[in-house]
Amino acid sequence: MNTSEAIRSRRSVRRFRPEPVPPDRIERLLDAARWAPSGLNNQPWRFVVVQAPEVREQLARCTKYGRILRSAPLAVAVFLDTASSYHREKDLQGVGACLQNLLLEAHATGLGACWLGEILNQREEVERILGVPAHLELMAVVAVGFPEGDRHGNPQRLPLEDLIVGRF
Amino acid sequence: MNTSEAIRSRRSVRRFRPEPVPPDRIERLLDAARWAPSGLNNQPWRFVVVQAPEVREQLARCTKYGRILRSAPLAVAVFLDTASSYHREKDLQGVGACLQNLLLEAHATGLGACWLGEILNQREEVERILGVPAHLELMAVVAVGFPEGDRHGNPQRLPLEDLIVGRF
């Protein structure tokens, strides 16, 4: 899919067909994610891949959007490696760029995804479930699968003229 | 350009041809940026478009990478609207997704861009130069133009197996 089209037609997908995401597709998503830019090229992102239903269920209990994780055959937990971090604000932005690459790659290749941020309310519990070392800090969990039904992401965006606050 | 290809072939561009970026291309870049996802769809990003050479020169003096801003015919200053913010970490990630959309749209349409983060060391001075209200906080400046010569962005990325820290 054309880049400009993918950027504008991507929406959150919250319901998925049951079939698993093939292993090569999972690698491809994470490969796209790792091509994000980062300050000093420090690449502070790390990933945990979750397909096992019992682990997805444990994650689902950490968020009020658990039904999305129960529907998705794949969850990717994205972490900031604080040991690789050099500037927290820039690293958070870099992780956002990494997440966007993952979402765009999914959409452009026929998968659907939903960026779950509310689960950060249970950050420590998620880190415990996934057994990550203390220097990894949860940034988001992305639910991924083949979309079922319509996409329900919010297509509303502020008009561009409201976002451009100055011109020189 | 295909999305997967754009994600993997995008590099920072630091030298530009002198011709300006046409107005419709500028709008298109910012339109792509605004299609990023954000928590609660709060869309906390705001933009200042800088083409005037004397203002670019003032910005160039705020960063040790000033030569990039002197070479680029266009600079886009990206701000977080703290009045629209609801969760700082998620908003910083959302701004990163917004920046990545802008970079990918530029690359996919034949422009080049460089995300400048070091200029945050002079955040208050940049905010003063651009005259933005106090609730807008500088996140990055992106230099944009038609690329001249080779792209010098760092193509090194950590191997995927080093980034995947767990599988379930």
Side-chain angles (χ1 to χ4, degrees), chain B residues 10-168:
Chain B
R10 183 208 55 79
R11 298 287 182 278
S12 292
V13 170
R14 297 181 172 84
R15 288 176 58 220
F16 303 90
R17 303 207 308 264
E19 61 260 42
V21 180
D24 62 310
R25 303 290 294 272
I26 299 174
E27 302 306 298
R28 188 170 164 178
L29 291 174
L30 300 180
D31 181 64
R34 82 189 173 105
W35 280 102
S38 55
L40 305 183
N41 197 30
N42 70 334
Q43 307 170 63
W45 37 76
R46 298 293 182 272
F47 310 109
V48 174
V49 174
V50 181
Q51 297 174 281
E54 68 276 14
V55 182
R56 280 197 286 117
E57 177 57 32
Q58 288 183 69
L59 296 183
R61 290 180 186 151
C62 294
T63 164
K64 66 182 182 183
Y65 302 112
R67 63 186 161 74
I68 301 173
L69 285 172
R70 290 185 185 98
S71 171
L74 168 66
V76 178
V78 179
F79 294 86
L80 172 66
D81 180 3
T82 61
S84 300
S85 181
Y86 86 107
H87 184 295
R88 185 169 175 83
E89 291 186 352
K90 294 179 197 170
D91 288 332
L92 289 168
Q93 291 179 36
V95 168
C98 164
L99 281 157
Q100 183 66 354
N101 271 6
L102 196 164
L103 298 178
L104 289 172
E105 179 81 14
H107 175 55
T109 59
L111 288 162
C114 185
W115 174 343
L116 300 170
E118 191 268 348
I119 199 168
L120 296 187
N121 291 336
Q122 299 294 327
R123 173 178 270 167
E124 292 180 11
E125 179 63 5
V126 171
E127 292 166 354
R128 188 195 64 73
I129 291 166
L130 299 179
V132 297
H135 60 94
L136 295 190
E137 178 184 345
L138 185 69
M139 292 281 107
V141 174
V142 183
V144 184
F146 293 97
E148 177 167 86
D150 292 337
R151 300 182 178 216
H152 299 287
N154 194 330
Q156 302 294 324
R157 289 296 186 273
L158 295 168
L160 199 47
E161 57 265 33
D162 291 357
L163 301 176
I164 300 174
V165 297
R167 288 184 185 269
F168 294 91

Side-chain angles (χ1 to χ4, degrees), chain A residues 81-137:
Chain A
D81 180 3
T82 60
S84 300
S85 181
Y86 85 108
H87 184 294
R88 186 169 174 84
E89 291 186 352
K90 294 179 198 171
D91 288 333
L92 290 167
Q93 292 179 37
V95 168
C98 165
L99 281 156
Q100 182 67 354
N101 271 6
L102 196 163
L103 298 177
L104 288 172
E105 179 81 13
H107 174 56
T109 60
L111 289 162
C114 187
W115 174 343
L116 299 170
E118 192 269 347
I119 200 169
L120 297 187
N121 292 335
Q122 299 296 326
R123 172 178 271 167
E124 291 180 10
E125 180 64 6
V126 172
E127 291 165 354
R128 189 195 63 73
I129 291 166
L130 300 179
V132 296
H135 61 92
L136 295 190
E137 179 184 345

